[in-house]
Amino acid sequence: MRSYSPKEARAIAGTLAMMASFEESEVCLEAQLHALSEMDTADRIGDADLTPLRDIDAAAIGAEHWEYLECLEPYLDRDAPE
């Protein structure tokens, strides 16, 4: 991940969040959430828009995926509308 600038990493994080929000494959969803969790540092995710992750159907989230979402929760809370 260090090969991307912070700006590029934020763009990738936003793209992964958008893709995960409508992903139908559990394998792909896990890969997207795993990639986001690996980027879980303020200098990498920064102000990336991760709000699409809120649109993931809770019924589609397996137990193994909740850990990833919990890891990313601080970024979702920060983006919450006031």
Side-chain angles (χ1 to χ4, degrees):
M1 186 48 65
R2 297 289 178 215
S3 62
Y4 298 111
S5 72
K7 183 178 180 179
E8 291 166 332
R10 286 189 300 273
I12 292 167
T15 301
L16 285 169
M18 179 59 68
M19 291 169 55
S21 72
F22 59 84
E23 185 58 64
E24 294 181 5
S25 165
E26 285 188 36
V27 173
C28 289
L29 176 60
E30 183 170 8
Q32 292 157 347
L33 294 175
H34 179 78
L36 282 167
S37 70
E38 288 295 316
M39 298 173 70
D40 180 23
T41 59
D43 67 324
R44 292 289 153 201
I45 291 181
D47 60 356
D49 182 11
L50 301 187
T51 57
L53 295 179
R54 292 190 195 123
D55 296 334
I56 298 174
D57 182 10
I61 300 173
E64 66 278 10
H65 301 136
W66 282 110
E67 184 177 327
Y68 295 122
L69 290 173
E70 288 171 359
C71 173
L72 297 166
E73 193 169 349
Y75 301 102
L76 295 174
D77 289 343
R78 184 187 58 220
D79 295 333
E82 297 178 11

